[in-house]
Amino acid sequence: MAFFDIETLRVIWWVLLGVLLIAFAVTDGYDLGVNTLLPFVARSDVERRMVINTVGPNWEGHQVWFILGGGAIFAAWPFVYAVSFSGFYIAMFLVLSALILRPVGFKYRGKKTDLAWRARWDWALFIGGFVPALVFGVALGNVLSGVPFRFDSDLRVFYLGSLLGLFSPFALLSGLLSVAMLVLHGSNWIALKVEPGPVHERARAYGFIAGALTLVLFVLGGLWVAQGGLGFRLAAAADHFGPSNPLRSAAVAAPGAWLDNYRAAPATVLAPVIGLLGALLAVIGNRARREWLAFAGSALACAGIVATVGVSMFPFILPSSVDARSSLTVWNASSTGHTLGIMLFCTVVFLPLILLYTGWALRVMRGRVTTREVGLNPDFY
C-alpha cells in the first residue's frame, strides 16, 4: 500500500487491532455471558434449551473475530505474538480448552434425554463461558501491569513469569470486571431474545447485579491505576519510521503514566466515559424494561472498557515489568510496511463482507425464542 507510510500503517493496525478486540467483546461477549448464566437463569430442561437457542444460530460466526484478532497479532505484530503466545501458553491452553467445551456441549447435550447427562453438559457450557471471560480480563490486567519478559541482544525472548504469577490482585480485579461486563451483556441478550416469563425475569435480575458490579469494578480499576502506580513511559522520543527492533527504543516504568494520554489529548477521555455511560445505560434500560436500550448500553460498555485499555497504553502494546527496555510498542514491534500494506488491502476487501454477513445472520435470526418453538422445531438444540 503505497498510499501510506510506515508510521501511518502502524497506527492504522493499532486501531484495527482494537476494533477486532472490541468486535469480539461485543459479539462473542454476549455468547460467553449467556453460557455463564445458563445454570442460573434456567431451571428446567425446556428453559435451558430456550436460553441455549438464543445464541445457537450465531455463536459460531462470532468466532471469526477471535480468529482475526489472533491472525492480526501474528501478522501485524509478530514480536507481540511471540511473547504473548509463548509466555501465556498455559493460560491460552486453558482458554482454548474451555472454548472447545462450547461446541461439544451444544452438539452433545441433546444426544440423550437423560437429565443428568444434560446437566453435566450445561455445566460444561458454563465453564466454556466463565473461564474465557475471566482469563481474558486477567490477561488485560497483566498487560496493564507489565509482563515479565525480556529480549537478549540476539532478540531471543525469555519469559520469566509463572501461571500463578498471572493472578495478581489487579489482574484478578480486571478478570472480575471482564466477567461482570460479559454477564451484563449476556443477560441483556437473554432478556431481549426470550419470551416474557421466569427466564426473562431472572436474566433481568442478574443483569442488574452485573451492571452495578461493572460500574463499581471499572471505577475501582481506574482508581487503582491512578493511585497504584501502574504505567510505563518512553524514555526518549521514539522514531516512528524506524525498523522494528524492540531494543532500539528505551522505556521506563513510570507510576501513573497510563494517565498521560488523557492529559495530552483530552478527547481520549471519551473511552472510559463511554464505558461508564454504557454500563449505566444498561442498568437504566434494565430497570425500565427497555431490552434494546439495555443491550445497546452493555455493547457500549464493552467497547468503551476495551478501548480504555488501548488508549491508556498507547504507544505501548506489551510492556515488560522486568526489563522496560524490552517493552513492545507501536513503533518497534510491527511487521514491515509492505506486509502491513498487503494486510490492510485484504482487510478493506473482506472486513465489510464479514460485517454484512454478521448483520444479515442476526437479521434473519431475529425475534424471541419461545418454549413452544423449542418443543416444535427439530432444528433447535
Side-chain angles (χ1 to χ4, degrees):
M1 295 285 289
F3 302 109
F4 301 111
D5 55 37
I6 183 66
E7 177 191 34
T8 305
L9 285 169
R10 283 167 169 164
V11 174
I12 288 173
W13 271 102
W14 173 80
V15 172
L16 284 174
L17 179 59
V19 168
L20 294 175
L21 293 176
I22 288 171
F24 176 68
V26 171
T27 57
D28 204 40
Y30 69 73
D31 297 334
L32 297 176
V34 169
N35 281 17
T36 303
L37 284 170
L38 175 62
F40 309 106
V41 298
R43 295 175 182 172
S44 68
D45 183 61
V46 171
E47 288 182 347
R48 292 186 177 180
R49 287 185 64 203
M50 185 166 58
V51 171
I52 288 171
N53 281 284
T54 63
V55 297
N58 297 305
W59 70 269
E60 289 177 292
H62 296 159
Q63 296 295 292
V64 69
W65 301 109
F66 183 63
I67 296 168
L68 285 175
I73 295 174
F74 172 76
W77 310 101
F79 286 107
V80 178
Y81 181 89
V83 173
S84 59
F85 279 71
S86 58
F88 294 161
Y89 180 82
I90 298 178
M92 293 285 185
F93 183 81
L94 181 65
V95 167
L96 291 175
S97 298
L99 288 176
I100 288 170
L101 287 175
R102 184 161 52 164
V104 176
F106 283 142
K107 301 300 182 183
Y108 277 80
R109 183 188 187 277
K111 297 299 182 183
K112 296 174 68 174
T113 57
D114 179 57
L115 293 181
W117 165 272
R118 293 188 172 186
R120 286 192 289 271
W121 285 115
D122 290 337
W123 284 106
L125 290 172
F126 163 79
I127 293 171
F130 175 78
V131 171
L134 178 67
V135 175
F136 287 143
V138 168
L140 286 180
N142 277 276
V143 170
L144 284 165
S145 302
V147 178
F149 72 93
R150 67 175 180 85
F151 289 97
D152 66 8
S153 58
D154 296 320
L155 292 184
R156 293 179 300 178
V157 62
F158 295 88
Y159 182 77
L160 306 176
S162 63
L163 179 62
L164 291 179
L166 296 176
F167 294 90
S168 66
F170 180 76
L172 285 174
L173 173 66
S174 300
L176 292 176
L177 171 59
S178 175
V179 171
M181 177 184 78
L182 297 185
V183 166
L184 169 65
H185 203 31
S187 68
N188 290 331
W189 180 254
I190 295 173
L192 184 67
K193 290 289 290 181
V194 302
E195 64 184 358
V199 175
H200 183 275
E201 294 305 313
R202 292 184 204 119
R204 289 185 59 249
Y206 281 110
F208 180 77
I209 295 170
L213 285 174
T214 299
L215 286 166
V216 170
L217 292 171
F218 190 39
V219 170
L220 284 177
L223 292 174
W224 196 316
V225 169
Q227 304 297 325
L230 299 179
F232 292 80
R233 185 179 290 128
L234 292 176
D239 180 4
H240 299 181
F241 299 89
S244 291
N245 182 339
L247 301 181
R248 71 175 176 83
S249 59
V252 295
W258 289 153
L259 302 179
D260 286 356
N261 288 336
Y262 300 109
R263 302 186 189 100
T268 55
V269 78
L270 283 174
V273 167
I274 289 173
L276 287 170
L277 290 182
L280 184 60
L281 187 66
V283 172
I284 293 172
N286 177 294
R287 292 293 89 186
R289 295 182 176 274
R290 304 281 186 176
E291 287 90 358
W292 273 110
L293 182 66
F295 184 72
S298 58
L300 285 174
C302 292
I305 290 171
V306 173
T308 297
V309 176
V311 167
S312 301
M313 293 180 58
F314 184 84
F316 288 88
I317 301 178
L318 196 64
S320 171
S321 59
V322 295
D323 178 20
R325 183 169 172 262
S326 295
S327 296
L328 303 176
T329 72
V330 171
W331 316 123
N332 70 6
S334 75
S335 292
T336 64
H338 185 65
T339 300
L340 296 178
I342 293 174
M343 288 174 56
L344 181 58
F345 174 78
C346 295
T347 302
V348 169
V349 173
F350 290 106
L351 186 59
L353 297 177
I354 295 171
L355 292 172
L356 285 172
Y357 167 78
T358 302
W360 174 81
L362 290 172
R363 177 175 174 78
V364 170
M365 302 298 176
R366 69 187 183 278
R368 294 184 183 271
V369 181
T370 66
T371 53
R372 182 175 181 275
E373 285 181 314
V374 168
L376 295 177
N377 195 326
D379 296 324
F380 276 20
Y381 287 117

